[in-house]
Amino acid sequence: MKVIIGTDIQQAKAFLEQGNVVGIPTETVYGLAGNALDIEAVTKIFEVKNRPTFDPLIVHTNSIERLAEFVQFMPEKALLLAQKFMPGPLTMLLPKHPSIPDLVTSGLDTVAVRIPNHPLTLELLAILDFPLAAPSANPFGYISPTSTQHVAKQLGEKIPYILDGGECQIGLESTIVGFENDEVIVYRKGGLAIEEIEKIVGKVQVNEHSSSNPKAPGMLKSHYSPKKDLLIFKGEKFGNNTDKIGYLAFQKHHSEITKENQLILSESGDYKEAAKNLFAYMRQLDNMDIDKIYVELLPEKDLGRAINDRLKRAAVKL
Ligand code: TXA
Ligand code: MG
């Protein structure tokens, strides 16, 4: 592995200014960042991730003032949400300014914008004179990374530098919202709970089937998947032969399955703790000597909704 892992924002800046892509920490998941205004750097992002170019990227910057330069206008509700939740785990789809290359938005007339809440990345963004396009730093279709180790293991041969910001504090990708007339529409459930958004702008619409919606071409059905078969637990009885079964529980072990094969998202039932552990635990189970992984769904509220969304997308379709 030739990648350098460090905390030197000047070094990260130098690589980015040369058109290279760099791993960056955010509060949600690690990103694979490149100069959003440089077509060659953006092309590299798609190549390194093995991602189809019809799946658009999020543009990251460090202030609402700079963000406003990349969009045509901000509806009132967008401004309210920005003031409340940026920096934070929220991405907004807004009418795209011509300065953003079409490659970034896959030809759509909206651009996804976000201000990540991580001190090191905010510092880096502040010393750059361009915004960063950054998808999650995982090979296309696999689980998102929440530590430098996750990034290095899968992309370490392909990128020169990972900025080390420790473990991601939220652990789920940002919540993506768009605006239609006066309505707020959630296109991806994520690290900001819908309940929190509704406190600011009232009732929102949730687009449950964004995978088939042209507004969000990248939200494909099969996503966030481990290599092993992952199945949603529906109260099955397992009998005696459970040595090769892994189990991802919310609060309590499953009594029929070997304890060594089980991981618990949060014994106290804390949604934030469960979200933070989710992707790392999915990876851990994927690397165990087991044949398949059963997962429990959480109650459909708070971050449980986003966690369930990821689990269902990761599950094999029977
Ligand atoms: O938390 C996050 O959002 C992380 C960190 C690194 O910021 N980024 C992230 O990026 O999750 P990515 O590329 O893995 O997921 C972005 C999603 C994709 O499903 C993409 O299709 C959608 O956002 N998207 C981006 N631009 C869009 C647009 N203009 N319209 C609709 N969907 C868009
Ligand atoms: Mg992703």
Side-chain angles (χ1 to χ4, degrees):
M1 213 184 307
K2 59 169 194 263
V3 67
I4 304 165
I5 302 176
T7 55
D8 184 350
I9 56 169
Q10 292 299 338
Q11 201 174 356
K13 176 178 187 251
F15 279 122
L16 290 163
E17 284 175 344
Q18 290 155 15
N20 276 305
V21 296
V22 159
I24 57 161
T26 84
E27 80 281 33
T28 59
V29 300
Y30 270 77
L32 183 67
N35 179 351
L37 308 181
D38 173 355
I39 306 275
E40 276 176 40
V42 176
T43 302
K44 241 181 235 174
I45 295 174
F46 284 105
E47 280 171 5
V48 168
K49 249 192 95 99
N50 205 5
R51 171 162 167 152
T53 50
F54 59 74
D55 192 359
L57 306 176
I58 299 174
V59 173
H60 298 68
T61 189
N62 64 317
S63 72
I64 297 177
E65 291 69 36
R66 285 183 90 181
L67 183 152
E69 293 170 21
F70 309 122
V71 305
Q72 301 274 14
F73 63 89
M74 271 205 191
E76 201 184 317
K77 285 185 177 169
L79 200 55
L80 280 175
L81 290 175
Q83 282 160 351
K84 179 74 186 174
F85 298 118
M86 289 186 169
L90 175 70
T91 293
M92 300 197 298
L93 305 178
L94 293 168
K96 166 189 172 306
H97 189 274
S99 59
I100 300 294
D102 287 330
L103 182 61
V104 171
T105 61
S106 305
L108 296 171
D109 54 14
T110 56
V111 59
V113 285
R114 150 163 154 78
I115 304 176
N117 192 14
H118 191 290
L120 211 50
T121 293
L122 283 172
E123 252 184 82
L124 172 66
L125 286 163
I127 60 168
L128 291 173
D129 55 15
F130 48 81
L132 292 175
S136 52
N138 51 283
F140 184 65
Y142 195 70
I143 305 161
S144 294
T146 54
S147 72
T148 54
Q149 288 76 12
H150 294 164
V151 182
K153 195 169 169 204
Q154 291 184 302
L155 302 179
E157 304 288 336
K158 298 180 172 178
I159 60 177
Y161 197 77
I162 304 171
L163 190 60
D164 188 353
E167 219 178 284
C168 298
Q169 290 305 303
I170 290 182
L172 283 175
E173 300 85 351
S174 59
T175 300
I176 301 181
V177 300
F179 305 87
E180 234 164 72
N181 305 318
D182 198 35
E183 281 221 70
V184 177
I185 302 165
V186 173
Y187 288 102
R188 177 174 75 180
K189 295 171 193 163
L192 180 63
I194 291 172
E195 290 90 334
E196 295 301 311
I197 296 174
E198 290 187 326
K199 279 183 203 160
I200 308 300
V201 293
K203 201 82 192 135
V204 303
Q205 231 187 134
V206 181
N207 189 326
E208 293 279 1
H209 302 287
S210 41
S211 59
S212 58
N213 187 310
K215 266 239 141 142
M219 296 168 194
L220 306 167
K221 292 187 297 254
S222 159
H223 231 108
Y224 312 100
S225 306
K227 298 189 183 78
K228 301 233 162 77
D229 281 355
L230 184 143
L231 299 130
I232 306 288
F233 177 67
K234 299 203 170 94
E236 288 88 347
K237 293 278 170 263
F238 293 110
N240 309 324
N241 205 355
T242 63
D243 289 2
K244 294 283 182 183
I245 292 179
Y247 195 81
L248 181 63
F250 178 31
Q251 289 186 260
K252 285 199 293 278
H253 288 108
H254 189 293
S255 61
E256 287 174 19
I257 298 173
T258 339
K259 274 208 172 147
E260 290 81 76
N261 292 0
Q262 300 194 53
L263 291 172
I264 295 180
L265 288 173
S266 170
E267 280 183 29
S268 64
D270 182 288
Y271 292 100
K272 285 201 163 74
E273 185 184 16
K276 191 175 168 191
N277 289 330
L278 180 69
F279 290 151
Y281 284 8
M282 281 166 73
R283 281 175 187 255
Q284 235 173 290
L285 285 160
D286 207 16
N287 291 322
M288 283 183 190
D289 180 24
I290 51 178
D291 293 334
K292 52 184 163 186
I293 307 163
Y294 277 88
V295 299
E296 270 177 27
L297 292 180
L298 277 65
E300 269 288 307
K301 61 174 215 189
D302 202 320
L303 293 183
R305 296 174 74 175
I307 293 171
N308 290 345
D309 172 86
R310 299 303 185 275
L311 291 173
K312 286 179 194 161
R313 280 174 205 269
V316 288
K317 307 289 178 286
L318 296 173

